Amino acid sequence: MASLELTGIQKAFGATQVLHGIDLAVAEGEMIVIVGASGCGKSTLLRIVAGLETPSQGSVRIAGREVTGLEPADRDIAMVFQNYALYPHMSVFQNMAYGLKIRGTPKAEITRRVGEAAELLGIAALLERRPRQLSGGQRQRVAMGRAIVRQPKLFLFDEPLSNLDAKLRVQMRAEIRRLQRRLGVTSLFVTHDQTEAMTLGDRLVVMHAGHAAQVATPMEIWARPADTYVAGFIGSPAMNFLEGVLVEGGRAVLLRAGPVLHFADGPRAGPDGQRLIIGIRPEHMRRDPEAGLGLALDLVEPLGSETVLHGRLPGGEALTAKLHGAVPAAGGALRLAIPAAELHVFDAASGRRLDAGP
Amino acid sequence: MPPDTTLAAPVALLPQDATLAVRTARRQRRERWLTHFWLLLGVLVFALPIWITLVGSTHDASTIGRGDVPLLPGTHGLENYAAAFATGGSGRFRASPAGLMLWNSALMAMLIATGKIAISLLSAYAVVFFSFPGRMLAFWTIFLTLMLPVEVRIIPTYQVIVDLDLFNPMAGLTIPLIASATATLLFRQFFLTIPDEYVEAAKIDGAGPLRFFRDILLPLSVTNIAALFVILFIYGWNQYLWPLLVVNDRSLETIVVGLAKMIGSGDAQNEWNVIMATAVLALLPPVLVVVLMQRWFVKGLTETEK
Ligand SMILES: Nc1ncnc2c1ncn2[C@@H]1O[C@H](COP(=O)(O)OP(=O)(O)OP(=O)(O)O)[C@@H](O)[C@H]1O
Ligand SMILES: [Mg+2]
């Protein structure tokens, strides 16, 4: 039984449709990361699951129970907000205990649960402090603690790390992951940071303009992006896109930049002359002084172990390559090969991925 | 050649710089004197009348009756205050004892301040946190009443109070003064600054509207409430026109009205010493409230809740 099930979730604010039918089934204990550009509806989706927003259409089931019409408090969920939303006039203890107190949990039980959560998060010494007497990372932990003591069926996180500095963010990211594994609570985690998404999620939901563009494991999304949006969104530096047309009965592509590349994994279904977009990740580009494409460099970024090169192909298309080691930038040009095994093929009209035919 | 990073040897103050330093010091001294002069003048202008009242309340009636304005305390303080407090003096314009009037004023000011705060907290809560049909209409109606202070609506209000048979009791004195647009607007502005996340976190914690109000909104508003209480208490204390109109029972007379009644017009023989003692007594409760509450909201200010 799925621990969280969304079917056909739509949401419109007045005339603007923000979510266009999202379906998602989350397994028990799974960590799902919802990632996407700003304004694509991630928070809205999360808030619909939380019950802070009502969907215009569709249903939400948590642990098999239909909760679409229920109050947030009755859904057995806990949420961690971006700015933590700790009550400023309450101590850390009171903040964590408030939800339990309202539910009428006995005092001794509250003390025990808060104590355990605080121990787990390493904030046991801070219980008497007020939120303003805490650092950002400590507040973050308290917010987590408030979610944990509830022992909910579902954790919801809305960009909980974006107010932390870079170092702390990495640390808290790992901590959240460890904690989630340990508690085994199903979680939805919203972020716009792809590194966060890749490292945290069992599966990712890449959202694009109110649609779930792809739902899959991080590696699957990286290796086989479903469309050009996902392909460009995940991966850094972003994937290169080159124009081309299908030739040789679907066995190869003729790039606008010149060469014909034969697909390593088999022919694509489609008429010759069909317009394609070929994706190639910068880290898959190889140097090839003899047969490679000429790249006129306009920017070289040495990163130590790697070098990122930005330049233009003969046809004028921009291309980024990431090569190992230092690259002599002298001359302003470089010959690069595109390995046929690493190509991603998309239909130019729809942007959808085209896989090798059966 | 590497850049020369050695420090230059210390050099004595240049003669022209020494002159500059002297001039700066002189100017600063002059500015300090000037500032203090103006400050002292201001204090004098505000404090002198109070001082004269204070001193006047310690002399006997004839000293002041002669037209002297003594600047040093006399010896009749105790009896003047006792007379003012217990009987209101024996002058031609008999007044109620100040003790009673102080009590009435305090009760009235207290009821007005707490009533105003309670009502405006609730109405601001409704207007900010709930969406109901006519919400903006309600808000603008409250806003419009800003243009209708007691003085403007005094005759209809009077009629209403008489019709409701509230003429004389404390209720008639306070209720018309309680509805408050200013306080509602103030709390509305404050509530608007409270992040939505608190509301949402409380919803997830399972707090209903009243619980949220009591457990979260009220504690966050404490500083505002304290500040507003001071202002509204003094507003209530200083009410003159309405109590004058609506109270004709001496046992309900407030001190501001009573004080005015003690003073006859023209060349009437006023017991100025007792009047001044009453005036000083009338000053004390508002001062007390300011002093006490100041402690409170300074504490609130230093421990800013964010
Ligand atoms: N209450 C609302 N009324 C009207 N429009 C809204 C409301 N809430 C969100 N929207 C719109 O819905 C869209 C999606 O908003 P949402 O907050 O879900 O984006 P997001 O993906 O979380 O973005 P971000 O990464 O910036 O947080 C936005 O275009 C936003 O303007
Ligand atoms: Mg958001």
Side-chain angles (χ1 to χ4, degrees):
Chain A
M1 179 183 62
S3 164
L4 167 71
E5 224 178 322
L6 305 179
T7 24
I9 298 287
Q10 295 193 23
K11 177 69 184 175
F13 291 108
T16 36
Q17 185 84 8
V18 173
L19 295 177
H20 302 264
I22 305 261
D23 298 296
L24 183 66
V26 182
E28 183 76 40
E30 208 179 6
M31 177 92 160
I32 297 285
V33 176
I34 302 173
V35 63
S38 187
C40 67
K42 308 182 292 288
S43 298
T44 308
L45 183 62
L46 199 72
R47 293 160 52 79
I48 286 175
V49 175
L52 296 170
E53 208 82 76
T54 32
S56 322
Q57 246 169 64
S59 82
V60 180
R61 298 172 142 265
I62 294 174
R65 184 166 69 124
E66 176 71 43
V67 296
T68 316
L70 297 189
E71 288 286 334
D74 302 326
R75 292 185 175 208
D76 219 352
I77 52 147
M79 185 155 169
V80 178
F81 295 86
Q82 177 171 355
N83 62 5
Y84 319 136
L86 300 176
Y87 310 121
H89 59 291
M90 295 188 193
S91 69
V92 167
F93 180 90
Q94 288 167 327
N95 260 290
M96 287 167 67
Y98 189 57
L100 296 179
K101 198 174 124 198
I102 290 180
R103 274 172 183 71
T105 316
K107 263 219 161 62
E109 167 84 3
I110 294 181
T111 316
R112 188 181 59 77
R113 280 213 226 165
V114 172
E116 277 174 15
E119 206 60 56
L120 191 66
L121 290 159
I123 50 172
L126 308 176
L127 285 178
E128 292 314 312
R129 296 227 200 142
R130 295 287 178 86
R132 88 188 102 82
Q133 299 166 315
L134 301 176
S135 71
Q138 290 167 335
R139 281 181 213 186
Q140 170 68 59
R141 288 201 175 91
V142 176
M144 298 274 303
R146 181 162 70 174
I148 291 174
V149 292
R150 193 96 40 86
Q151 302 180 348
K153 288 259 177 356
L154 184 63
F155 277 143
L156 303 173
F157 300 87
D158 194 354
E159 310 206 19
L161 303 179
S162 55
N163 283 353
L164 302 178
D165 65 51
K167 197 172 159 210
L168 199 53
R169 199 178 311 170
V170 173
Q171 188 190 332
M172 285 309 295
R173 190 170 78 199
E175 225 163 282
I176 288 181
R177 186 63 178 130
R178 231 172 276 136
L179 203 65
Q180 193 268 340
R181 283 266 162 77
R182 180 157 161 198
L183 299 173
V185 179
T186 316
S187 304
L188 282 191
F189 189 106
V190 164
T191 178
H192 59 249
D193 180 315
Q194 53 160 307
T195 321
E196 227 166 87
M198 297 288 282
T199 49
L200 270 177
D202 291 320
R203 281 192 300 154
L204 310 189
V205 177
V206 182
M207 286 197 42
H208 177 40
H211 295 275
Q214 190 170 10
V215 182
T217 64
M219 277 324 286
E220 167 82 4
I221 283 184
W222 191 80
R224 296 171 28 91
D227 61 23
T228 47
Y229 178 79
V230 178
F233 188 79
I234 299 289
S236 171
M239 185 185 277
N240 295 298
F241 294 116
L242 304 173
E243 290 176 25
V245 289
L246 201 57
V247 291
E248 296 180 21
R251 275 190 295 277
V253 58
L254 167 63
L255 290 184
R256 203 181 88 179
V260 173
L261 299 174
H262 288 89
F263 302 128
D265 51 355
R268 269 35 183 198
D272 275 7
Q274 181 184 356
R275 290 180 43 247
L276 299 178
I277 289 183
I278 298 299
I280 175 80
R281 296 204 180 271
E283 52 271 41
H284 290 148
M285 302 294 293
R286 291 284 162 265
R287 296 179 72 174
D288 184 349
E290 283 91 50
L293 284 165
L295 184 70
L297 296 177
D298 43 42
L299 183 62
V300 176
E301 299 173 323
L303 301 179
S305 64
E306 288 150 337
T307 307
V308 177
L309 307 146
H310 304 270
R312 296 200 169 271
L313 290 175
E317 286 171 300
L319 188 89
T320 303
K322 188 164 155 187
L323 303 178
H324 281 289
V327 174
L334 202 64
R335 298 195 83 81
L336 294 170
I338 302 175
E342 310 288 0
L343 294 186
H344 301 264
V345 185
F346 304 99
D347 175 34
S350 67
R352 309 289 313 163
R353 179 182 191 85
L354 294 179
D355 278 316
Chain B
M1 200 183 77
D4 184 7
T5 52
T6 52
L7 289 173
V11 179
L13 208 55
L14 293 173
Q16 61 265 42
D17 287 349
T19 330
L20 275 180
V22 169
R23 249 191 254 156
T24 307
R26 208 178 291 150
R27 201 196 59 229
Q28 282 173 342
R29 209 173 316 135
R30 199 170 53 232
E31 281 170 1
R32 207 155 45 228
W33 276 108
L34 214 61
T35 317
H36 279 84
F37 171 75
W38 285 115
L39 284 175
L40 285 172
L41 192 70
V43 168
L44 216 61
V45 167
F46 282 103
L48 197 61
I50 296 174
W51 176 249
I52 288 176
T53 312
L54 209 60
V55 167
S57 69
T58 61
H59 285 273
D60 60 1
S62 50
T63 311
I64 304 167
R66 276 198 305 275
D68 295 350
V69 180
L71 284 176
L72 290 174
T75 52
H76 298 271
L78 269 181
E79 59 198 75
N80 289 344
Y81 280 98
F85 194 82
T87 64
S90 54
R92 283 205 302 147
F93 302 95
R94 222 186 52 74
S96 316
L100 177 67
M101 298 195 294
L102 279 174
W103 165 251
N104 288 335
S105 277
L107 188 63
M108 175 182 73
M110 202 70 173
L111 286 174
I112 290 177
T114 36
K116 267 181 185 289
I117 286 175
I119 292 234
S120 49
L121 267 172
L122 288 173
S123 52
Y125 183 46
V127 167
V128 173
F129 288 97
F130 296 87
S131 59
F132 50 88
R135 179 167 78 132
M136 280 330 268
L137 184 73
F139 172 68
W140 283 108
T141 314
I142 294 172
F143 192 80
L144 279 179
T145 61
L146 266 184
M147 289 182 227
L148 299 172
V150 180
E151 290 76 8
V152 175
R153 57 182 160 91
I154 198 152
I155 291 170
T157 311
Y158 185 83
Q159 186 63 48
V160 168
I161 292 299
V162 170
D163 287 350
L164 288 179
D165 220 2
L166 289 175
F167 192 75
N168 260 336
M170 200 40 107
L173 194 54
T174 50
I175 288 174
L177 296 174
I178 280 180
S180 178
T182 336
T184 307
L185 291 179
L186 219 119
F187 280 123
R188 174 181 178 265
Q189 285 324 101
F190 171 64
F191 288 169
L192 286 177
T193 66
I194 288 184
D196 287 343
E197 279 85 352
Y198 290 162
V199 184
E200 298 181 343
K203 268 190 200 163
I204 291 178
D205 274 333
L210 278 179
R211 188 114 201 189
F212 175 74
F213 183 73
R214 201 189 64 200
D215 287 354
I216 290 153
L217 212 51
L218 270 190
L220 290 179
S221 312
V222 162
T223 323
N224 283 279
I225 292 176
L228 212 59
F229 183 84
V230 172
I231 295 167
L232 293 179
F233 185 88
I234 292 170
Y235 164 87
W237 186 268
N238 287 338
Q239 281 304 313
Y240 177 71
L241 190 57
W242 182 249
L244 182 68
L245 205 64
V246 85
V247 168
N248 61 6
D249 179 350
R250 289 216 153 213
S251 67
L252 270 176
E253 201 155 67
T254 62
I255 195 147
V256 174
V257 173
L259 192 58
K261 280 190 180 168
M262 285 170 85
I263 303 169
S265 54
D267 49 14
Q269 185 68 38
N270 292 320
E271 257 190 312
W272 282 111
N273 53 342
V274 177
I275 294 175
M276 290 195 199
T278 312
V280 171
L281 288 176
L283 263 178
L284 291 181
V287 169
L288 201 71
V289 166
V290 169
V291 170
L292 286 181
M293 298 300 272
Q294 194 191 20
R295 278 236 212 93
W296 232 45
F297 68 70
V298 166
K299 179 172 161 248
L301 289 182
T302 48
E303 291 181 7
T304 339
E305 311 277 25
K306 261 201 292 191

